C-alpha cells in the first residue's frame, strides 16, 4: 500500500513518499508511467499541485498503488486544481491555452457563431451543448470556438472545468462561487445558499454580454444552476454524456474528423515537409487513428519527439490489432486513459457488457445480440446500452443498432483480456458464435421449400414471426453470422458450419449479389468434405458453381465446380446433384458460346429431372433448355419450354412452394416476353415483359430483371414510343450500376439521353 499519509501533506509530498517506498528513481518512474522527468520533479517540489486525472492515474498504475492510496492521490490532485482556481490572482476563469495546429470543425465553428446571436424563449438563456465520446477534442473545440467569438463578448469569456469524469465532480455550489468571483463579486458578497448564488449569477449574465464555458460536465443536476436566464449572456457546455434531460439547449454532436482533416492535423503536428515526404504513410496513420484528435495528437507527438522514426514503421505497428491500443501513448497522453475515465463511470453490469461486446465479430449489433454476449436479460441490456451510448463508449445508429469506434472496440477487448479469465473469455466467444450460427440457420430455413417457421425453435433465439423478419435478420447481421461461421470453421465445428451454409441456399436467390456467398459455400464444401458427406459436398460445390455464374461471371470456374460436383454426386448416388451440375454447366457453356455442348447438358438434366419428383428442379431444367434453344435460334422450341415452366409455377398442385413459385413467376414471364419479341410478336412481348418488370420491382436488381426491362425499352423504341423507351433505358442504366456492370450502364445511359 505504501507509507502512511497524513491529510496535511500535499500532492507532491505524497507522490515522493510513494516513489521512495517503491524504491524508484525519478527516471525509473518516468519510464514506467510515461510522465516526463521534469514534470515529475515539478510535482514533487510543489510547482505543479494539481496534475490532470489521466496523469495521476498513470502514476498510480506505475507505482502499483492499492485502491485507497490511488483514490487519495487522485483526490489530492483534484484539491490542488481547485486551489489553483481559487487562488489564481487576476486570471480567474481564463480560457486554457489553445493549440496552434487546431484543424477542421468549420461547420461546428459556424454553429458556435450562430449561438452568439441566437434568440431564446422568454426567461431562457442561449445555451450550446457539445457532446461526444472521449478523444474527440471537445475541450479543444470549445476553447478555439470561444477564442473565435471573444470579440462579441466584451463582458468577458470565462472557463470552468467541472471535472465530470472524476469520482468527485465539482459541485454546482462551488462552480457558482468561482463564476461569481470571476464576474467581479467579492467573496464577502457571495451568498451562502446555492439558489441565491444562482439567482445572482443569472442576474449578472442578463446584463453582461459574457460567455461562460462549462467544460466536462457530469450531469444535468450539476449544470442546471449554472444556466443563464434570458439576456445577453451565453453558456457553452462540453460533456461526454448526452445530458438528454436538459431542455431548450442547442445541441452539437462532435464526431470524428474526416480523413482529409485528420491528415492535415497530423501534418500540422509533425511539420508539412515531413508529412509531404511521407504522404502515403501519414495518410495510413491518419486512417488508423479513426478521426480522433487525441489519437492523432499522440501519434504526431511520438513522431515529433523521435525525428528518426519512420512513419511507415509506426503505421506497421498500428496495423497489428493486438498491440494497436498500446501504441497510442506519448508521455502522459494515453488514449486508453481517456476511454478508461468513461469506463470507470459505469456500473459493474454495464462494464461487463461493454467488454464482452468486443467478442461480437461484426461492425454493429442490436440489443438482442448484446444481451447474449453480456449474459443478461434483454431489459438489462437496454439499460446498459443506454449508459454506454450516454458516455460515448458506443454509437447508436438507425433501426436500433449499435457500433464501436474502432479504438474503443480495442479498449473493450483490452478490458476483457485484463478483467476476465481465459475460460470466461472462451465461454463468451463460444456462446456468441453458437447463438449467431443457430440464429442464421433458423432464419435461412424460412426460405426452404416446405420449411418456414420452425415448430420448436431454440428457446434462447430471437422470435421470427414472418419471412420478412428472417430476411432482415440475415441482411442486418451478415457480418456477425459470417464471423461466427468463420470461427466455427476454424474450430472444427463442421456440422454447424454445414447446416448454416446449406440453410443459405434458397435465401441466396433473394440476395443474388451478396458478396459473401462464395465464402459461405466454400466453407460449407470444406465442412462436408471433413464429414465425408459426398452428397452435401456436391451440393455445396454446385452452389459455388451458381455463385460463379452471377455477373461478373467466371464461367470456366463454374465448369470446374460442376465437374467436381458431378463426380462426387455419382459416387454418392445423389441424382439430384447430378441434375443441378448439368444445369449450371449448361448455363456456363451457353455463355461461352458452346451451344451444342450446352444444349446436350441441359437436355441431360431435363431427362433426369422427372425421377426427382421435384417441381422446382423440373422448372429449372425447362428454362435451362429453353435458354439453349433461344440462343441457338430455335425460338418456337424455346417458347414451348418457357410456357411449360410457367405452368409449373402457376399450378398450385405442382408441389412447388407458393413463395418460390411467386419468386420465379416474373422471371418466367420475362423469358416468355423476350422470346415473343424474337418471334416478332411485339404487343404480346410488351405485355409479358411489363408484367414481369412490375413483379420484379420488389427484388434486388439482377441481370435478368435488367435484361427484361432493356428488351421493353427496345420494343418501345421500335413502336415509336421514344419517351417511354428513354425512361426505361434510364431505369435499366441505374440497375446495371447497382449490379456493377459498368459497360451495360454506360450503354443504357447513352440510349436514355440519345436525341434529347
Amino acid at each position: 500500500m505504501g507509507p502512511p499519509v497524513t491529510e496535511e501533506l500535499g500532492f507532491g509530498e505524497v507522490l515522493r513518499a510513494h516513489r521512495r517506498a517503491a524504491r524508484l528513481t525519478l527516471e525509473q518512474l518516468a519510464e514506467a508511467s510515461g510522465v516526463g522527468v521534469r514534470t515529475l520533479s515539478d510535482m514533487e517540489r510543489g510547482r505543479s499541485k494539481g496534475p490532470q486525472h489521466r496523469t495521476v492515474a498513470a502514476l498510480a498504475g506505475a507505482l502499483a498503488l492499492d485502491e485507497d492510496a490511488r483514490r487519495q492521490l487522485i483526490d489530492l490532485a483534484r484539491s490542488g486544481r481547485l486551489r489553483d482556481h481559487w487562488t489564481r490572482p487576476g486570471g480567474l476563469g481564463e480560457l486554457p491555452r489553445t493549440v496552434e495546429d487546431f484543424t477542421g470543425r468549420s461547420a461546428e465553428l459556424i454553429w458556435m457563431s450562430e449561438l452568439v446571436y441566437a434568440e431564446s424563449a422568454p426567461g431562457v438563456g442561449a445555451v450550446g451543448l457539445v457532446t461526444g465520446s472521449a478523444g474527440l477534442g471537445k475541450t479543444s473545440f470549445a476553447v478555439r470556438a470561444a477564442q473565435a467569438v471573444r470579440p462579441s463578448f466584451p463582458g468577458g469569456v470565462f472557463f470552468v472545468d467541472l471535472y465530470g469524469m472524476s469520482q468527485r465532480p465539482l459541485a454546482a455550489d462551488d462552480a457558482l462561487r468561482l463564476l461569481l468571483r470571476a464576474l467581479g463579486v467579492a467573496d464577502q458578497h457571495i451568498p451562502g445558499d446555492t439558489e441565491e448564488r444562482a439567482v445572482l449569477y443569472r442576474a449578472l449574465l442578463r446584463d453582461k454580454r459574457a460567455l461562460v464555458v462549462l467544460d466536462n460536465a457530469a450531469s444535468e443536476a450539476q449544470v442546471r444552476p449554472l444556466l443563464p436566464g434570458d439576456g445577453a449572456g451565453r453558456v457553452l457546455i462540453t460533456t461526454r454524456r448526452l445530458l438528454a434531460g436538459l431542455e431548450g439547449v442547442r445541441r452539437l454532436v462532435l464526431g470524428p474528423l474526416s480523413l482529409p482533416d485528420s491528415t492535415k492535423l497530423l501534418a500540422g503536428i509533425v511539420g508539412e515537409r515531413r508529412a509531404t515526404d511521407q504522404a502515403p504513410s501519414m495518410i495510413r496513420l491518419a486512417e488508423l487513428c479513426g478521426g480522433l484528435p487525441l489519437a492523432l495528437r499522440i501519434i504526431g507527438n511520438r513522431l515529433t519527439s523521435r525525428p528518426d522514426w519512420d512513419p511507415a514503421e509506426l503505421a506497421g505497428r498500428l496495423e497489428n490489432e493486438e498491440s494497436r491500443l498500446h501504441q497510442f501513448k506519448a508521455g502522459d497522453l494515453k488514449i486508453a486513459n481517456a476511454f478508461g475515465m468513461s469506463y470507470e463511470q459505469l456500473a459493474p453490469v454495464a462494464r461487463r457488457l461493454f467488454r464482452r461486446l468486443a467478442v461480437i465479430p461484426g461492425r454493429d449489433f442490436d440489443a438482442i445480440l448484446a444481451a447474449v454476449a453480456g449474459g443478461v436479460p434483454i431489459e438489462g441490456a437496454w439499460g446498459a446500452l443506454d449508459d454506454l451510448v450516454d458516455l460515448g463508449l458506443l454509437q447508436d445508429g438507425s433501426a436500433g443498432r449499435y457500433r464501436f469506434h474502432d479504438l474503443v472496440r480495442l479498449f473493450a477487448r483490452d478490458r476483457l483480456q485484463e478483467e476476465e479469465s481465459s475460460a470466461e473469455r472462451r465461454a463468451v466467444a463460444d456462446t456468441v458464435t453458437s447463438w449467431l450460427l443457430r440464429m442464421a440457420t433458423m432464419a435461412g430455413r424460412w426460405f426452404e421449400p416446405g420449411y418456414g417457421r420452425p415448430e420448436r425453435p431454440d428457446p434462447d433465439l430471437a422470435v421470427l414471426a414472418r419471412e420478412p423478419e428472417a430476411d432482415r435478420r440475415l441482411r442486418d447481421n451478415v457480418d456477425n453470422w459470417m464471423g461466427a461461421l468463420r470461427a466455427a470453421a476454424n474450430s472444427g465445428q463442421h456440422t454447424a458450419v454445414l447446416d448454416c451454409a446449406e440453410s443459405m441456399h434458397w435465401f441466396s436467390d433473394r440476395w443474388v449479389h451478396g458478396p459473401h456467398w462464395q465464402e459461405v459455400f466454400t466453407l460449407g464444401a470444406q465442412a462436408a468434405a471433413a464429414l465425408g458427406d459426398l452428397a452435401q459436398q456436391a451440393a455445396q460445390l454446385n452452389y459455388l458453381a451458381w455463385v460463379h455464374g452471377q455477373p461478373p461471371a467466371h464461367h470456366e470456374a463454374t465448369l470446374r465446380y460442376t465437374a467436381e460436383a458431378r463426380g462426387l454426386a455419382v459416387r454418392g448416388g445423389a441424382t439430384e446433384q447430378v441434375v443441378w451440375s448439368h444445369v449450371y454447366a449448361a448455363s456456363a457453356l451457353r455463355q461461352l458460346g458452346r451451344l451444342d455442348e450446352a444444349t446436350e447438358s441441359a437436355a441431360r438434366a431435363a431427362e433426369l429431372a422427372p425421377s426427382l419428383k421435384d417441381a422446382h428442379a423440373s422448372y429449372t431444367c425447362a428454362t435451362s433448355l429453353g435458354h439453349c434453344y433461344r440462343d441457338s435460334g430455335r425460338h418456337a422450341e424455346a417458347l414451348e419450354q418457357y410456357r411449360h415452366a410457367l405452368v409449373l409455377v402457376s399450378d398450385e398442385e405442382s408441389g412447388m412452394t407458393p413463395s418460390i413459385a411467386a419468386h420465379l413467376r416474373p422471371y418466367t414471364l420475362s423469358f416468355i416476353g423476350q422470346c415473343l419479341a424474337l418471334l416478332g410478336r411485339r404487343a404480346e412481348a410488351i405485355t409479358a415483359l411489363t408484367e414481369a418488370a412490375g413483379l420484379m420491382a420488389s427484388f434486388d436488381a439482377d441481370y435478368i430483371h435488367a435484361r427484361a426491362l432493356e428488351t421493353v425499352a427496345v420494343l418501345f423504341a421500335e413502336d415509336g414510343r421514344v419517351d417511354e423507351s428513354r425512361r426505361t433505358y434510364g431505369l435499366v442504366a441505374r440497375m446495371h450500376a447497382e449490379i456493377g456492370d459498368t459497360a451495360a450502364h454506360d450503354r443504357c445511359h447513352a440510349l436514355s439521353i440519345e436525341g434529347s
Side-chain angles (χ1 to χ4, degrees):
M1 175 178 175
V5 180
T6 64
E7 292 186 2
E8 288 76 15
L9 295 179
F11 175 83
E13 295 166 300
V14 173
L15 176 61
R16 184 186 299 112
H18 283 305
R19 177 175 63 78
R20 289 175 175 172
R23 300 181 181 276
L24 295 175
T25 65
L26 279 173
E27 290 76 12
Q28 289 171 328
L29 180 55
E31 176 66 25
S33 65
V35 180
V37 174
R38 179 175 294 180
T39 302
L40 283 172
S41 178
D42 287 345
M43 291 178 193
E44 290 195 358
R45 287 186 292 174
R47 292 183 178 179
S48 175
K49 298 182 177 66
Q52 293 299 311
H53 178 91
R54 59 173 174 258
T55 302
V56 182
L59 291 170
L63 291 165
L65 300 183
D66 63 21
E67 186 59 29
D68 289 341
R70 178 178 178 275
R71 177 55 47 210
Q72 187 172 37
L73 197 64
I74 290 172
D75 288 345
L76 284 170
R78 178 177 176 276
S79 297
R81 290 195 293 272
L82 286 176
R83 283 196 297 274
D84 284 345
H85 271 299
W86 281 61
T87 61
R88 189 188 311 137
L92 185 64
E94 274 295 311
L95 288 172
R97 183 175 68 89
T98 188
V99 290
E100 294 182 3
D101 46 35
F102 183 89
T103 302
R105 306 298 192 197
S106 55
E108 292 87 347
L109 290 170
I110 291 172
W111 173 88
M112 181 63 191
S113 66
E114 291 172 347
L115 177 68
V116 174
Y117 303 104
E119 294 185 3
S120 300
V124 179
V127 177
L129 179 66
V130 181
T131 61
S133 60
L136 283 171
K138 296 179 294 298
T139 299
S140 294
F141 166 74
V143 171
R144 174 52 65 96
Q147 293 281 16
V149 300
R150 185 189 284 273
S152 298
F153 294 100
V157 175
F158 307 97
F159 181 94
V160 179
D161 188 343
L162 298 178
Y163 301 105
M165 287 296 104
S166 73
Q167 295 298 317
R168 293 172 57 189
L170 186 66
D173 186 62
D174 291 335
L176 283 167
R177 184 178 184 87
L178 291 172
L179 286 166
L180 288 172
R181 291 180 67 199
L183 289 167
V185 180
D187 283 350
Q188 62 269 30
H189 295 145
I190 295 176
D193 179 73
T194 300
E195 182 54 35
E196 290 179 0
R197 289 183 183 182
V199 170
L200 177 58
Y201 165 72
R202 288 193 294 271
L204 291 171
L205 283 186
R206 182 178 301 115
D207 301 322
K208 193 180 186 71
R209 189 148 185 84
L211 171 65
V212 176
V213 180
L214 303 174
D215 188 48
N216 195 11
S219 66
E220 293 92 338
Q222 183 191 37
V223 298
R224 276 200 179 99
L226 311 179
L227 301 182
D230 56 2
R234 298 288 185 266
V235 167
L236 179 66
I237 306 169
T238 74
T239 176
R240 294 189 189 184
R241 296 187 179 274
L242 297 178
L243 302 192
L246 290 183
E247 312 88 352
V249 298
R250 289 167 169 78
R251 295 178 179 271
L252 172 66
V253 179
L254 213 59
L257 292 174
S258 66
L259 181 58
D261 281 344
S262 295
T263 308
K264 185 177 178 181
L265 174 57
L266 197 55
I269 298 170
V270 304
E272 291 290 345
R273 181 174 179 179
R274 187 176 186 187
T276 302
D277 291 344
Q278 302 283 345
S281 299
M282 299 299 287
I283 291 172
R284 183 56 185 149
L285 283 171
E287 288 177 332
L288 290 166
C289 289
L292 292 187
L294 177 58
L296 290 159
R297 187 157 302 284
I298 289 171
I299 294 302
N301 287 355
R302 293 190 73 182
L303 291 173
T304 303
S305 62
R306 295 171 174 83
D308 294 334
W309 269 23
D310 181 1
E313 182 182 347
L314 182 55
R317 294 186 195 179
L318 294 180
E319 294 283 1
N320 182 0
E321 279 198 356
E322 295 301 319
S323 62
R324 183 183 303 167
L325 191 69
H326 302 291
Q327 295 295 326
F328 285 98
K329 64 177 182 179
D332 64 350
L333 288 178
K334 289 185 180 180
I335 197 77
N337 289 349
F339 299 148
M341 292 173 71
S342 295
Y343 183 69
E344 289 177 1
Q345 302 290 313
L346 297 169
V349 171
R351 288 188 190 184
R352 186 178 70 169
L353 178 70
F354 169 75
R355 58 183 182 259
R356 290 187 171 189
L357 290 174
V359 307
I360 294 175
R363 292 171 296 181
D364 61 7
F365 49 88
D366 58 17
I368 298 172
L369 181 52
V372 172
V376 296
I378 186 65
E379 295 79 9
W382 281 118
L385 290 167
D386 284 345
D387 289 343
L388 292 171
V389 171
D390 189 47
L391 277 165
L393 290 171
L394 278 184
Q395 304 162 18
D396 58 346
S398 59
R401 300 190 70 78
Y402 303 84
R403 68 185 305 162
F404 282 114
H405 184 281
D406 288 346
L407 293 179
V408 178
R409 178 190 289 276
L410 294 179
F411 174 73
R413 184 185 300 175
D414 183 70
R415 289 298 85 213
L416 183 65
Q417 182 78 22
E418 290 295 322
E419 298 183 33
E420 304 208 27
S421 68
S422 59
E424 288 171 323
R425 297 195 302 272
R426 187 165 53 252
V428 174
D430 289 347
T431 296
V432 169
T433 296
S434 172
W435 190 90
L436 284 168
L437 277 186
R438 288 182 289 117
M439 192 71 227
T441 302
M442 182 182 74
R445 285 180 175 158
W446 265 92
F447 306 97
E448 293 180 356
Y451 193 90
R453 181 178 181 176
E455 291 184 5
R456 296 180 180 178
D458 288 354
D460 63 326
L461 297 182
V463 175
L464 301 174
R466 298 182 303 117
E467 198 173 84
E469 292 179 29
D471 185 292
R472 187 167 60 252
R473 166 65 54 179
L474 288 170
R475 292 179 191 249
D476 289 350
N477 291 280
V478 62
D479 290 338
N480 290 316
W481 61 260
M482 277 301 306
L485 193 67
R486 296 183 195 107
N490 289 335
S491 61
Q493 299 177 49
H494 304 307
T495 300
V497 170
L498 182 58
D499 285 349
C500 186
E502 178 62 29
S503 76
M504 295 298 154
H505 167 48
W506 288 91
F507 177 67
S508 65
D509 276 339
R510 288 173 167 261
W511 195 4
V512 174
H513 298 286
H516 41 271
W517 295 129
Q518 182 173 348
E519 184 178 7
V520 168
F521 298 132
T522 296
L523 292 175
Q526 292 170 350
L531 293 168
D533 190 331
L534 297 180
Q536 276 294 345
Q537 189 179 357
Q540 298 296 311
L541 291 170
N542 273 330
Y543 302 158
L544 280 170
W546 169 82
V547 171
H548 285 84
Q550 306 307 313
H554 302 284
H555 302 303
E556 294 294 350
T558 295
L559 293 176
R560 289 196 300 272
Y561 282 120
T562 55
E564 186 179 357
R566 192 177 309 124
L568 291 167
V570 170
R571 286 167 53 198
T575 303
E576 179 183 9
Q577 298 310 320
V578 174
V579 170
W580 285 107
S581 71
H582 278 301
V583 169
Y584 294 133
S587 176
L589 290 165
R590 185 170 53 82
Q591 296 295 335
L592 290 169
R594 295 157 61 177
L595 292 177
D596 289 344
E597 295 173 82
T599 303
E600 181 182 350
S601 190
R604 179 59 178 157
E607 179 184 338
L608 291 171
S611 67
L612 302 179
K613 301 186 185 306
D614 182 335
H616 179 257
S618 296
Y619 165 89
T620 306
C621 291
T623 55
S624 176
L625 189 55
H627 296 338
C628 293
Y629 287 153
R630 180 195 62 199
D631 290 1
S632 300
R634 298 158 66 177
H635 301 144
E637 293 172 88
L639 183 60
E640 181 181 352
Q641 292 295 325
Y642 293 147
R643 290 199 184 281
H644 173 57
L646 185 62
V647 168
L648 288 171
V649 298
S650 303
D651 182 5
E652 295 181 359
E653 303 299 323
S654 70
M656 188 178 294
T657 302
S659 62
I660 295 172
H663 184 74
L664 295 176
R665 181 177 178 81
Y667 291 108
T668 316
L669 288 168
S670 173
F671 303 148
I672 289 172
Q674 291 171 46
C675 204
L676 287 168
L678 292 169
L679 289 167
R681 295 157 66 176
R682 185 182 303 156
E684 294 174 81
I686 290 176
T687 299
L689 289 167
T690 302
E691 182 182 354
L695 291 172
M696 288 180 184
S698 61
F699 297 176
D700 283 346
D702 64 15
Y703 176 72
I704 295 174
H705 188 182
R707 183 172 175 179
L709 279 174
E710 191 169 351
T711 303
V712 173
V714 171
L715 295 174
F716 280 154
E718 291 177 354
D719 221 21
R721 298 157 68 176
V722 178
D723 289 342
E724 291 173 273
S725 177
R726 287 177 185 158
R727 283 196 298 272
T728 307
Y729 272 125
L731 177 58
V732 177
R734 291 192 292 274
M735 293 174 64
H736 279 306
E738 184 178 339
I739 294 169
D741 191 336
T742 304
H745 165 268
D746 294 345
R747 181 187 72 247
C748 293
H749 178 69
L751 291 168
S752 73
I753 60 175
E754 188 175 85
S756 60

